[in-house]
Amino acid sequence: MRRREFLKAGALVVAGTAAAASGVATIADAAAGKPELTTLRPHQGETLLAMTRRIFPHKQLDDAPYWNVVRDIDTAAKSDSSVAKLIAEGIESLDAQGRRFIELAEKEQTIALKRIETTAFFQKVRSIELQTLYSDPSVWKVLGYQGPAYKYGGYIHRGFDDLAWLPNPPESASPKPA
Amino acid sequence: MPRYDANDDSVVLIVGSGAGGGTLANELCRKGLKVVLLEAGQRQSPATFRNEEWFAFNQLAWLDKRTTSGTWRIAKDFPNLPAWICKTVGGTTVHWAGASLRLQEHEFQARTHYSGITGANLIDWPLTLAELEPYYAKAENKMGVTRTNDIPGLPGNNNFKVMYNGAIRAGYKTVHTGRMAINSRPRDGRSACWQLGFCFQGCKSGAKWSTLYTEIPAAEATGKLDLRTESMALQIQHDDRGRATGVLYADKDGNHQFQKSRIVCVAANSIETPRLLLNSHSTMFPHGLANSSGQVGRNYMRHTTGSVFGVFKQPVHMYRGTVMAGIIQDEARYDPSRGFAGGFELETISLGLPFAAAFLNPGAWGEDYTNLLEGYPNMAGMWIVGEDLPQETNAVTLHPSEKDQYGLPIPNVHYDDHPNDLAMRTYAFKRGAAVYDAVGATRTVEVPPYPSTHNLGTCRQSAKASDGVCNKWGQTHDVKNLFISDGSQFSSSAAENPTLTIVSLAIRQADYIADQCSKREL
Ligand SMILES: Cc1cc2nc3c(=O)[nH]c(=O)nc-3n(C[C@H](O)[C@H](O)[C@H](O)COP(=O)(O)OP(=O)(O)OC[C@H]3O[C@@H](n4cnc5c(N)ncnc54)[C@H](O)[C@@H]3O)c2cc1C
Ligand code: SF4
């Protein structure tokens, strides 16, 4: 995957494949989920992508849901300059340990994060990631959660009691539905 | 809806519209009394609820800043969120799961049964089970509790099937789908449970009892209720005889208003109730209103809790259907031979993926944690709820410097786990894991307590005025026309989820208030 990045007035604009450029993203296009960042610089975006992949690593997920997290960090940084500062300084200190964070192997990245896990910077990134990643319907699909149930009439007719690998409890313990 | 005059001193003023306040308001209105109900939160409805955990939390939860201290793990995991309770019309009955159990006889006599435990500030309730039984019956009927009043139990979901089979194989006997204030059949104009699985987010089908769409509309229908939403009580005032005269509150627009009243009833849940009393200090009551005993805010209880989740080889989909879908009651008995006083219940619990990620191990990250989360579809869960002991130093106090948006000191919640609580939790974790191991769990995890959903004891009932804050009617020992009308009244926490008892006490208190009013005692 080749990505070219252009910096435009502080915003990161991605021109990937022709498909992405014309607005038709393909699944193979890992840059498809890459957001336009308003406040973070491209390097900060890339670093946060790597960092969020290490914090909650799910091999089955492509980059798109992690980019959504970076987008939300960007939004937080935009609306609160103290968050922007926290993120900028946090990334600087991550990069100041010899090589830049994004150049480290995955294992080394995890070790680097372990060292800073009690910092306000790490906590901020983790807490935004926790809320965004696990509230993302595309992530639910992969991890096996079905999300909102009301519009489908709940689970009363959709398998609330479909478990078949154990015997059914007697009716005295678990009466039949109405 | 009537709007009573600010100078109308014949009204009963209730603070808080949850289990205690919402019920009391309805009961008093139906007896013909005029009621002003102040509620800090907004009014939502099943139509505005959403099946999304974080959205619902932000829509409904009490998020004003609080601080914590003490050895409980909450102080580390959730330093500014000691409790998970609601700020909305209907209070925490919007979030609650519906488990509705009576307290056991011996639990009303905690001191008699558990005496001699160092550090525990035990008393007996000034009330017996026999005295409360008729009111339990009324509450169960009002709330439509399953397995009472000929209402069938709810059908068990997958999470319950795992619990049931594991429990039986582990030797337990009393295992069923519980006594739930959730309709298993249409009742009281509300539908039967759709098995949505979002009981904690506000029940969109209305199958679960909540004062929001039962007690409060019923009170409104009497024409006696003046409900004022987004109205935050700031201070209870009194005259020079030491009688409450009314409540100062901030309205929607932040303007201060004073409403006179004949009687004041506080049902703001066990953190805000003592906070309001403490913030109402005056020259006559320098340590806070109704606090001559010094017990206001003390003896804070939150139940000994924790959860056990089991991961299995095959799917469970625990999130489908009622959150508290079943119960194991064998451990709720009185049996000090287990190494602790008091008992505990084991109840199924499920969390959606967003909350599972947040609560299964607060603060965790990395591969080991994501491996656990990847077992999500194959997970079953249960919650421990056990009796914790009152300790005088476990207390809601006013923060020395931090203020809220109204300029009032915020509350600090201090809680040290008692050795008895720790012994019970350790034992209960093992028993919960044994249940899941008995049906082939590949992994079980012990999950630390969530922010407190049960908050109790901070203005407790006591026979002697020096031991507590109110008498067996919830009437404060010091101020005759001031009542405590929520879970703050609890003299001990007992093993059972508290709401059925809160509602029963409110029905009983309404009878007492009406009686005292008719006799001109109030
Ligand atoms: C997720 C969850 C699940 C639960 N499940 C169960 C269960 O299965 N069974 C059970 O028995 N219990 C359960 N509970 C607990 C139950 O919800 C509470 O015990 C019960 O609602 C407490 O009633 P209350 O009247 O004391 O307070 P609440 O219901 O919390 O009502 C207090 C009200 O007072 C208002 N208020 C506070 N301060 C002020 C002020 N100064 N001015 C104006 N208004 C104010 C609040 O906004 C709130 O609306 C659960 C709780 C949660 C969070
Ligand atoms: S499971 Fe039943 S009680 Fe719970 S939210 Fe759904 S319909 Fe309501």
Side-chain angles (χ1 to χ4, degrees):
Chain A
M1 170 65 51
R2 270 196 356 241
R3 283 184 222 147
R4 273 176 288 144
E5 300 160 0
F6 302 92
L7 196 62
K8 254 194 200 168
L12 180 65
V13 179
V14 184
T17 61
S22 67
V24 190
T26 61
I27 291 167
D29 183 1
K34 197 165 177 178
E36 280 194 29
L37 301 175
T38 63
T39 305
L40 298 173
R41 285 179 290 109
H43 172 67
Q44 293 174 322
E46 297 285 350
T47 307
L48 289 170
L49 177 74
M51 186 172 165
T52 53
R53 284 220 74 125
R54 296 286 75 71
I55 292 177
F56 293 121
H58 292 288
K59 292 205 173 66
Q60 316 91 305
L61 297 178
D62 65 17
D63 283 346
Y66 293 97
W67 274 125
N68 287 340
V69 178
V70 177
R71 179 204 60 210
D72 283 359
I73 299 171
D74 183 56
T75 309
K78 187 184 178 191
S79 61
D80 184 345
S81 61
S82 71
V83 174
K85 188 161 173 269
L86 187 70
I87 301 295
E89 291 176 358
I91 291 174
E92 262 173 46
S93 74
L94 255 190
D95 281 344
Q97 309 187 2
R99 268 177 304 154
R100 297 200 306 173
F101 183 76
I102 50 172
E103 290 155 9
L104 300 175
E106 290 184 2
K107 277 219 172 82
E108 297 170 322
Q109 287 181 337
T110 305
I111 294 166
L113 291 178
K114 190 86 199 145
R115 259 185 249 130
I116 63 152
E117 68 177 346
T118 57
T119 62
F121 163 61
F122 180 90
Q123 301 286 340
K124 188 83 207 167
V125 173
R126 183 192 169 278
S127 81
I128 294 176
E129 178 172 12
L130 179 74
Q131 294 214 12
T132 300
L133 192 71
Y134 296 107
S135 299
D136 181 337
S138 77
V139 173
W140 294 346
K141 219 174 221 158
V142 175
L143 295 187
Y145 173 56
Q146 290 174 281
Y150 182 72
K151 60 182 171 197
Y152 306 109
Y155 291 103
I156 185 87
H157 304 301
R158 289 196 311 139
F160 82 105
D161 63 349
D162 65 358
L163 185 151
W165 53 271
L166 286 169
N168 282 328
E171 267 191 54
S172 56
S174 174
K176 284 209 160 56
Chain B
M1 187 165 87
R3 173 82 191 194
Y4 298 118
D5 190 89
N7 289 313
D8 184 346
D9 60 4
S10 69
V11 304
V12 178
L13 190 146
I14 303 174
V15 179
S17 64
T23 304
L24 182 65
N26 184 24
E27 292 292 320
L28 291 175
C29 286
R30 283 175 32 206
K31 293 175 194 296
L33 278 81
K34 298 195 273 183
V35 173
V36 173
L37 179 54
L38 298 182
E39 169 52 56
Q42 297 175 338
R43 188 169 190 159
Q44 304 293 341
S45 76
T48 61
F49 294 152
R50 274 216 233 158
N51 284 179
E52 284 171 50
E53 291 178 308
W54 287 116
F55 175 88
F57 183 76
N58 287 314
Q59 179 187 45
L60 301 166
W62 187 283
L63 299 172
D64 292 8
K65 188 169 178 189
R66 290 166 170 163
T67 56
T68 48
S69 55
T71 61
W72 59 337
R73 204 177 137 173
I74 297 292
K76 168 176 166 273
D77 289 343
F78 308 99
N80 296 119
L81 192 74
W84 175 3
I85 43 186
C86 293
K87 183 199 266 193
T88 189
V89 175
T92 316
T93 65
V94 173
H95 265 187
W96 83 313
S100 301
L101 304 169
R102 295 185 182 193
L103 269 55
Q104 304 168 73
E105 188 162 15
H106 71 268
E107 290 170 331
F108 286 91
Q109 281 104 39
R111 186 186 172 87
T112 304
H113 290 279
Y114 315 149
S115 64
I117 301 176
T118 316
N121 190 23
L122 293 162
I123 55 170
D124 291 345
W125 289 63
L127 187 67
T128 61
L129 175 61
E131 279 173 279
L132 203 54
E133 261 165 356
Y135 294 95
Y136 271 138
K138 286 185 187 180
E140 285 162 349
N141 187 38
K142 176 196 276 293
M143 298 162 82
V145 177
T146 57
R147 291 190 164 81
T148 75
N149 295 284
D150 295 324
I151 304 169
L154 284 158
N157 63 4
N158 292 339
N159 204 15
F160 175 68
K161 281 193 197 178
V162 178
M163 167 181 267
Y164 180 85
N165 283 286
I168 298 299
R169 289 182 203 181
Y172 288 131
K173 301 272 185 302
T174 311
V175 192
H176 53 74
T177 55
R179 291 174 171 237
M180 305 295 295
I182 296 179
N183 282 349
S184 59
R185 300 286 182 278
R187 189 177 195 267
D188 200 20
R190 293 179 290 113
S191 83
C193 174
W194 295 17
Q195 300 287 340
L196 284 165
F198 287 89
C199 312
F200 286 180
Q201 282 68 42
C203 175
K204 276 186 84 68
S205 82
K208 180 188 82 177
W209 180 84
S210 167
T211 56
L212 171 62
Y213 41 77
T214 59
E215 303 306 303
I216 289 164
E220 286 173 325
T222 65
K224 293 287 179 187
L225 180 70
D226 176 353
L227 168 64
R228 300 183 194 167
T229 61
E230 294 176 76
S231 296
M232 172 79 179
L234 307 174
Q235 189 188 39
I236 302 164
Q237 298 189 353
H238 62 83
D239 59 19
D240 48 18
R241 290 181 309 152
R243 294 289 198 91
T245 50
V247 171
L248 179 74
Y249 69 96
D251 70 13
K252 274 189 184 58
D253 308 312
N255 297 321
H256 283 195
Q257 308 279 356
F258 184 75
Q259 175 65 51
K260 281 195 180 169
S261 70
R262 177 179 187 177
I263 297 167
V264 175
C265 302
V266 190
N269 207 322
S270 284
I271 297 176
E272 292 306 311
T273 289
R275 176 177 178 232
L276 179 58
L277 264 51
L278 294 172
N279 272 331
S280 301
H281 61 82
S282 63
T283 351
M284 190 185 260
F285 299 105
H287 305 294
L289 208 53
N291 196 20
S292 66
S293 63
Q295 297 294 308
V296 170
R298 297 190 179 277
N299 311 304
Y300 170 70
M301 296 172 287
R302 45 102 54 215
H303 277 144
T304 297
T305 70
S307 314
V308 180
F309 285 82
V311 185
F312 298 86
K313 287 200 195 81
Q314 297 179 72
V316 178
H317 303 297
M318 65 173 171
Y319 56 85
R320 293 183 186 167
T322 41
V323 172
M324 277 182 185
I327 190 166
I328 303 171
Q329 297 208 276
D330 302 59
E331 300 280 7
R333 68 186 191 278
Y334 174 56
D335 175 10
S337 74
R338 290 169 298 181
F340 47 85
F344 62 92
E345 311 271 358
L346 296 169
E347 301 170 348
T348 73
I349 195 166
S350 64
L351 299 170
L353 186 64
F355 273 14
F359 291 124
L360 284 185
N361 187 3
W365 61 278
E367 215 172 335
D368 188 47
Y369 194 52
T370 48
N371 281 342
L372 174 67
L373 292 175
E374 285 168 14
Y376 180 77
N378 296 4
M379 232 177 241
M382 73 171 85
W383 192 57
I384 300 158
V385 50
E387 175 157 13
D388 62 339
L389 302 178
Q391 299 181 68
E392 207 169 11
T393 47
N394 283 350
V396 175
T397 54
L398 300 179
H399 196 281
S401 56
E402 284 203 59
K403 304 268 191 323
D404 69 3
Q405 63 270 41
Y406 307 101
L408 292 172
I410 65 167
N412 181 68
V413 183
H414 181 95
Y415 190 94
D416 295 319
D417 286 309
H418 190 280
N420 191 79
D421 306 340
L422 295 173
M424 180 189 289
R425 185 179 292 125
T426 306
Y427 179 92
F429 272 147
K430 284 210 185 83
R431 296 307 301 155
V435 167
Y436 288 146
D437 286 339
V439 275
T442 55
R443 177 175 183 182
T444 58
V445 274
E446 296 179 356
V447 171
Y450 314 125
S452 312
T453 56
H454 301 170
N455 297 273
L456 305 164
T458 50
C459 290
R460 68 185 186 179
Q461 292 191 1
S462 63
K464 278 198 291 182
S466 56
D467 284 341
V469 177
C470 59
N471 66 16
K472 65 176 177 175
W473 309 103
Q475 180 177 34
T476 63
H477 293 301
D478 299 351
V479 182
K480 205 176 170 186
N481 63 341
L482 174 64
F483 286 77
I484 309 297
S485 313
D486 59 13
S488 317
Q489 294 175 82
F490 281 40
S491 310
S492 68
S493 73
E496 292 74 22
N497 315 57
T499 306
L500 179 72
T501 303
I502 294 173
V503 172
S504 305
L505 290 171
I507 301 172
R508 185 170 176 273
Q509 186 176 82
D511 279 359
Y512 179 75
I513 287 175
D515 176 64
Q516 294 290 296
C517 285
S518 70
K519 291 180 181 151
R520 311 241 153 249
E521 291 285 334
L522 278 174

